[in-house]
Amino acid sequence: MKELMRTNDPTLIAFAKALLQGEGIDCFEMDVNMSVLEGSIGVLPRRVLVHRKDYFSAAAVLRDNDIPVSENAR
């Protein structure tokens, strides 16, 4: 798995996941429980991961929809 994006915005994550699923790209959201533990004040970002083989396509889908791809993932 490779990190595709990292954000504190839950609506952006939902949109990105919907776009990826629409393209048939499996993704996994990390750190959901950590953000709940910190009280949902948005301090800890959540990450969206994809399979390495799908990374290039997934990054293109996000960029085409003006969603930033994580700098750590490049």
Side-chain angles (χ1 to χ4, degrees), residues 10-62:
T11 58
L12 189 60
I13 290 175
F15 181 49
K17 287 173 64 176
L19 289 170
L20 294 172
Q21 290 170 357
E23 295 291 326
I25 300 171
D26 290 328
C27 61
F28 183 76
E29 188 177 349
M30 294 285 294
D31 306 320
V32 176
N33 294 330
M34 289 303 295
S35 64
V36 170
L37 288 175
E38 52 93 9
S40 298
I41 58 174
V43 176
L44 298 174
R46 296 181 186 182
R47 298 176 288 160
V48 175
L49 282 70
V50 295
H51 291 283
R52 287 190 180 275
K53 65 179 178 62
D54 295 329
Y55 177 78
F56 181 76
S57 299
V61 168
L62 294 190

